[in-house]
Amino acid sequence: MQSGQQTTNLALILGTILIGMSPIQGQQKIGTRQIHLDFHTSEHLPEIGADFSKEQFQEALKVANVNAINIFAKGHHSWSYYPTKVGHVHPNLDFDLLGAQIEACHEIGVLCPFYFTFGWSHTDATRHPEWCARNQDGTMITTSSYNFDAKPDTPKPNFQWINMCCNTPYHDHMMKQVEELCEMYPVDGFWFDIYQINRLCYCETCKKRMKEQGFNVGNKQDVQRFQGESFKKHQRELSKLIRNRHPEATIYFNGVTSTSRGAANFTLKLYENNTVQDLEDLPTTWGGYDKLPIQSKYFLKAGYPVTAMSGKFHKAWGEFGGFKHPNALKYEAASMISWGANCNFGDQLHPNGLMDMDTYKNIGVAYEYVEKIEDFGVGGLPTARVGVWRSFDSDHDEGVTQMLLESHVNFNVANVGNEDLTDFDVIVVPGVPCLNEADAARLNEYAKAGGALLVIGEGAMDRSRQTLLLDIGAEFVGSGTYDRDYLVVGDSIEDGLVNSPFLCYTPGLRIKPASGTEVLASIREPYFSRTYEKFTSHQNTPYKLEDAPHPGVIRNGNVIFFAHELDRMYFIHGARLHRDLFANALKLVHKRPMVETKLPSAGRVSLLHQAEQKRYVAHLLYGPPITRGQCEVIEDLPTLHDVPLTVNLPVDVKKAVLVPAMKELPITKKDGKLTVTIPQFSCHCAVAFEYE
């Protein structure tokens, strides 16, 4: 075993090895093919790391074609895996496992950021209850209903931990241990875990500080803002400590990019202390395969390098013996590259320290392919003429995203970064109040200047849901008065739809069109809402035979308004009629798509611009997920043949190259558009359109 100093010298020797690394922000190095190696080990497990072998560890990384791996300094049980004098070494570990893993990684040119738990630290919580986060009633905050009086043999629910508070001496304890790590080892980066803004702390320290700083303890929004500022202060202090000793290290605080915690991560910008944005998602059980695109587009446009995180598990973290099929891993990895992200798959090391070779053989299938295509994805920026105004309401944003992805409409995020709105031909506003007066004024001016708006339901309204902020060519009358209603579409948006009234699972807003506003679809109301007093049949009441006085879809010049929350309805119910209605309306105003193709609805298309390489790269994906039990599973990767791809780009394209085959494709030019035909592909391919 080498000492920390010897390991440091080795790192300096190998510090210039950047094989397979992505472009760096400043001097930081980020692996394109990463592993996140979980190692939360109980004190009841014997002989921790006893069978660890540098050679076997390295062999696993080589088999998987890995160039970065997150390794554990401290896990959720509070145990450390190195000879710490600040924290607590795992009682059944008798050597420096962290140091041995660093040596193994750096010897073969693999980066190894340190994992360090924050929000969940079980032994710290039981030894120091004063460090724990508290509910308003003084009880400890836990991830699920925690039975503190449980008998020793009572079964314990999954993912159940006690939350820690960063305003207690726990923060100081963390600072000292991170400082110790910075002094003992070469540091590629730190990966801090569990920052959950939705779990608000009311411990005595927090309440005292809130009062001192002028926050209202009785106001949830105030408490959340205080919690956010507390997180950011804690993060800034850790970041300063690390940068003072290792200025090139990556720093990431996990949880602050999540969409499942509500909008606060984004409105409070809790991610701003990260040097790289890791987007944690286990699509099989955490909401599907369409969360990554809008997340990656948002953070890439905000100027951050992005890493997409999934897992080798069938379900989720902590699942020993769970495996995805290699086809699923390949599809997910190709998808990550397609959206401009580095790749990361989570694994869990056995307590004995041996890597599971079947896991790394499976991941190797994916990463062998990634190595062929990563140069055409990582470092690219999403570009599109359709913009989505992100509301940070996950149901609405993901509903819009899914309708666009399934319709193969290339899009970007409109409300991030400094991009001029006029770079977009069309901006889609989701169906939830998400605009302030300044935002609305900016969008109204954009529309007056010739830009098109596609506005869904309450997205046109102020946050009190009383006033229209956007000029949609109508006045607001009120909310819908029935539990559900129906739509009847007109000629201009009827393509592929039924002529009969079709069901909407929530009622549309009642609006009164102004003179000159065109009605594109009418509403039919039911005879009555379904109640105990009045009901018919099994579900919803049938429609009346005459149109309601308030329409369902209107057009005012280049502004189209849907009275219904089509996005959330599609996210929850998945009715194709709603998606196709949205797509038909979009076609009325989206006349210059940058990329067009014909794929099955499960196909995906992404367009990235790599300015330094002077090329636009269109990525195509096809790996239809199916639901089995509680999981979405990708198993089959059918081959598609003779797939057309048309682009309309603001450059003079010299040639089109099929990736990864690296074969030039013939180009057909017509009306400023370029079309190529992809002879066949399975899972993924890309076409690089090179210009001078």
Side-chain angles (χ1 to χ4, degrees):
M1 189 64 56
Q2 291 191 349
S3 67
Q5 183 60 49
Q6 288 172 312
T7 308
T8 301
N9 292 337
L10 180 61
L12 291 174
I13 294 170
L14 297 169
T16 59
I17 295 179
L18 293 173
I19 298 173
M21 302 303 166
S22 69
I24 56 176
Q25 181 184 26
Q27 294 299 312
Q28 69 176 352
K29 305 179 188 75
I30 305 169
T32 52
R33 288 164 266 118
Q34 306 175 21
I35 298 293
H36 185 87
L37 191 62
D38 256 14
F39 199 57
H40 303 291
T41 57
S42 164
E43 62 275 16
H44 300 292
L45 292 168
E47 299 181 315
I48 298 299
D51 294 327
F52 174 81
S53 159
K54 180 175 76 172
E55 292 73 20
Q56 196 263 354
F57 191 83
Q58 291 175 334
E59 180 62 21
L61 299 182
K62 291 176 182 177
V63 164
N65 208 8
V66 166
N67 55 29
I69 180 170
N70 297 333
I71 57 176
F72 266 45
K74 179 185 178 183
H76 291 337
H77 289 272
S78 305
W79 304 125
S80 300
Y81 301 99
Y82 70 98
T84 176
K85 295 180 180 178
V86 176
H88 305 283
V89 181
H90 194 292
N92 299 321
L93 175 68
D94 61 6
F95 71 102
D96 183 356
L97 178 59
L98 179 68
Q101 291 175 331
I102 295 170
E103 178 182 329
C105 290
H106 285 180
E107 190 173 284
I108 59 173
V110 172
L111 298 171
C112 54
F114 301 161
Y115 175 97
F116 196 103
T117 191
F118 160 69
W120 300 336
S121 190
H122 183 73
T123 300
D124 285 335
T126 55
R127 292 182 179 181
H128 296 279
E130 71 277 12
W131 292 358
C132 296
R134 301 279 173 169
N135 295 303
Q136 286 180 284
D137 62 3
T139 58
M140 292 180 184
I141 295 176
T142 61
T143 52
S144 60
S145 183
Y146 203 105
N147 185 357
F148 287 96
D149 299 319
K151 295 179 180 179
D153 60 351
T154 302
K156 184 178 175 66
N158 296 338
F159 293 96
Q160 187 185 63
W161 302 92
I162 300 168
N163 282 60
M164 311 301 289
C165 175
C166 67
N167 286 321
T168 68
Y170 178 62
H171 166 76
D172 303 314
H173 179 70
M174 275 188 68
M175 289 285 290
K176 291 177 183 177
Q177 191 164 5
V178 170
E179 182 177 26
E180 176 186 58
L181 285 162
C182 287
E183 292 173 350
M184 290 180 67
Y185 301 106
V187 176
D188 294 325
F190 273 92
W191 206 95
F192 296 103
D193 202 7
I194 313 300
Y195 290 82
Q196 297 178 336
I197 187 63
N198 59 318
R199 303 187 190 279
L200 303 180
C201 181
Y202 295 85
C203 73
E204 292 303 317
T205 302
C206 284
K207 289 193 291 186
K208 179 181 177 183
R209 290 189 183 181
M210 278 189 268
K211 185 176 180 181
E212 292 171 350
Q213 296 174 25
F215 291 95
N216 181 358
V217 181
N219 182 291
K220 186 176 179 180
Q221 289 184 328
D222 258 23
V223 177
Q224 189 170 71
R225 283 196 300 115
F226 169 79
Q227 179 113 324
E229 289 304 315
S230 298
F231 276 177
K232 289 202 282 189
K233 178 177 181 293
H234 156 87
Q235 292 165 358
R236 285 194 300 269
E237 292 183 14
L238 282 169
S239 298
K240 182 180 179 181
L241 169 66
I242 295 164
R243 289 197 187 100
N244 283 343
R245 291 159 176 80
H246 300 278
E248 298 178 8
T250 56
I251 302 171
Y252 176 70
F253 300 94
N254 189 41
V256 300
T257 60
S258 171
T259 58
S260 62
R261 312 290 176 195
N265 277 335
F266 296 88
T267 57
L268 300 176
K269 295 186 177 179
L270 296 186
Y271 52 79
E272 64 185 4
N273 290 299
N274 293 340
T275 67
V276 58
Q277 304 298 348
D278 284 16
L279 309 178
E280 182 188 12
D281 181 24
L282 299 175
T284 51
T285 54
W286 284 12
Y289 285 85
D290 290 335
K291 287 181 176 292
L292 175 60
I294 195 169
Q295 281 280 75
S296 184
K297 289 171 186 287
Y298 180 88
F299 284 112
L300 285 171
K301 193 174 174 188
Y304 294 95
V306 168
T307 298
M309 296 188 69
S310 186
K312 73 99 176 186
F313 318 105
H314 176 61
K315 286 191 173 182
W317 298 105
E319 181 184 60
F320 282 108
F323 291 87
K324 281 180 183 153
H325 191 277
N327 280 0
L329 296 174
K330 180 181 178 181
Y331 175 85
E332 289 183 23
S335 176
M336 294 169 183
I337 297 297
S338 297
W339 304 116
N342 300 292
C343 304
N344 185 307
F345 285 105
D347 180 30
Q348 184 167 228
L349 183 65
H350 191 279
N352 70 359
L354 280 177
M355 302 281 265
D356 181 85
M357 293 305 294
D358 282 324
T359 291
Y360 289 86
K361 289 175 184 175
N362 284 353
I363 293 174
V365 171
Y367 281 173
E368 180 183 12
Y369 185 70
V370 166
E371 190 171 26
K372 297 175 182 177
I373 65 170
E374 61 190 18
D375 288 345
F376 294 87
V378 177
L381 295 178
T383 181
R385 294 188 181 120
V386 172
V388 172
W389 192 276
R390 195 168 184 186
S391 71
F392 305 108
D393 180 297
S394 58
D395 286 5
H396 289 272
D397 288 347
E398 289 182 39
V400 168
T401 297
Q402 287 178 357
M403 289 192 292
L404 290 168
L405 290 171
E406 292 172 19
S407 303
H408 311 128
V409 175
N410 181 51
F411 69 95
N412 206 350
V413 180
N415 54 328
V416 62
N418 298 316
E419 186 173 10
D420 190 334
L421 293 184
T422 57
D423 290 344
F424 296 106
D425 289 355
V426 187
I427 294 176
V428 181
V429 181
V432 62
C434 57
L435 303 175
N436 56 36
E437 290 188 3
D439 293 334
R442 190 177 174 209
L443 287 170
N444 284 327
E445 285 301 315
Y446 163 81
K448 287 178 183 177
L453 293 178
L454 218 66
V455 184
I456 303 174
E458 292 181 344
M461 305 190 72
D462 69 351
R463 296 182 189 276
S464 69
R465 294 174 167 83
Q466 298 298 314
T467 304
L468 288 173
L469 293 178
L470 294 179
D471 182 4
I472 62 170
E475 63 181 72
F476 176 63
V477 176
S479 300
T481 54
Y482 293 92
D483 57 349
R484 301 181 183 190
D485 61 22
Y486 301 80
L487 272 170
V488 182
V489 297
D491 294 345
S492 61
I493 54 173
E494 70 173 355
D495 186 32
L497 303 179
V498 297
N499 293 318
S500 301
F502 56 86
L503 178 64
C504 293
Y505 296 93
T506 54
L509 299 178
R510 290 178 293 137
I511 56 170
K512 181 180 179 181
S515 175
T517 295
E518 181 184 1
V519 174
L520 304 181
S522 302
I523 287 177
R524 295 278 182 92
E525 293 179 324
Y527 289 96
F528 47 79
S529 295
R530 185 178 176 86
T531 66
Y532 276 92
E533 178 187 7
K534 296 179 180 180
F535 67 95
T536 185
S537 190
H538 301 300
Q539 296 193 58
N540 46 294
T541 307
Y543 50 84
K544 297 176 183 177
L545 299 180
E546 67 279 354
D547 293 343
H550 48 278
V553 185
I554 59 173
R555 179 175 183 176
N556 177 35
N558 51 345
V559 178
I560 294 177
F561 174 74
F562 301 93
H564 296 85
E565 52 170 14
L566 282 184
D567 46 5
R568 187 170 182 272
M569 278 200 299
Y570 190 70
F571 179 74
I572 293 174
H573 303 286
R576 177 174 173 174
L577 286 167
H578 297 149
R579 182 195 74 198
D580 290 353
L581 169 65
F582 172 84
N584 288 350
L586 179 60
K587 288 176 184 177
L588 295 180
V589 289
H590 182 33
K591 300 298 186 181
R592 298 190 309 145
M594 293 188 77
V595 57
E596 299 172 88
T597 188
K598 291 182 180 179
L599 293 171
S601 63
R604 297 290 178 264
V605 61
S606 168
L607 183 66
L608 299 174
H609 185 207
Q610 295 182 309
E612 290 187 7
Q613 290 80 13
K614 293 187 176 181
R615 66 191 178 208
Y616 285 84
V617 185
H619 289 263
L620 279 67
L621 292 153
Y622 185 57
I626 56 175
T627 300
R628 288 184 179 155
Q630 300 173 335
C631 297
E632 280 196 25
V633 176
I634 288 179
E635 180 175 317
D636 302 316
L637 297 176
T639 299
L640 301 181
H641 298 270
D642 299 323
V643 179
L645 178 66
T646 299
V647 295
N648 182 339
L649 303 174
V651 294
D652 184 12
V653 171
K654 300 302 181 184
K655 65 177 179 178
V657 179
L658 181 64
V659 179
M662 304 311 296
K663 294 182 179 180
E664 188 170 347
L665 297 175
I667 298 175
T668 301
K669 298 183 179 181
K670 183 179 180 181
D671 300 329
K673 297 182 179 181
L674 310 180
T675 298
V676 298
T677 299
I678 299 163
Q680 66 178 46
F681 80 92
S682 173
C683 182
H684 166 270
C685 72
V687 179
F689 294 92
E690 300 178 6
Y691 61 90
E692 292 181 356

